[in-house]
Amino acid sequence: GQGQGEQYYYRAGRVFRIKELIMTVVEMNKLIGTRGFVSIGNNTLAMRVEVVDVRQSYGYTQVEVVPTDGTGSAWMALASVRFEGE
């Protein structure tokens, strides 16, 4: 059951407590500034990147990354980035 005084939010067929959504945002914000590697061309080339933004779309977490040396940016699935120390 849902406790009294708690606030709830309905999204994508699920009910979330507001606190759970805030924790999700906090966890996503922790990714900003982290560095990792993205593989390109059938894993034949790896590029070092830094996460500059995070978003959720249709139940998937996406990160915007920029190369640590070079220019440009790209949005990609979080699972596409191998973070340092993994």
Side-chain angles (χ1 to χ4, degrees), residues 12-79:
R14 292 184 54 199
V15 176
F16 297 89
R17 286 191 314 228
I18 295 296
K19 182 178 178 182
E20 290 172 348
L21 288 178
I22 292 170
M23 291 303 294
T24 300
V25 170
V26 168
E27 290 171 357
M28 287 178 10
N29 283 337
K30 287 181 181 179
L31 290 172
I32 295 174
T34 59
R35 293 186 174 193
F37 295 90
V38 174
S39 295
I40 303 169
N42 293 330
N43 297 325
T44 58
L45 175 67
M47 178 172 55
R48 190 167 190 227
V49 296
E50 181 176 335
V51 176
V52 294
D53 202 359
V54 184
R55 67 182 180 194
Q56 287 188 326
S57 179
Y58 300 103
Y60 295 96
T61 302
Q62 299 174 330
V63 291
E64 183 180 17
V65 296
V66 296
T68 56
D69 188 17
T71 61
S73 67
W75 284 97
M76 58 185 50
L78 177 61

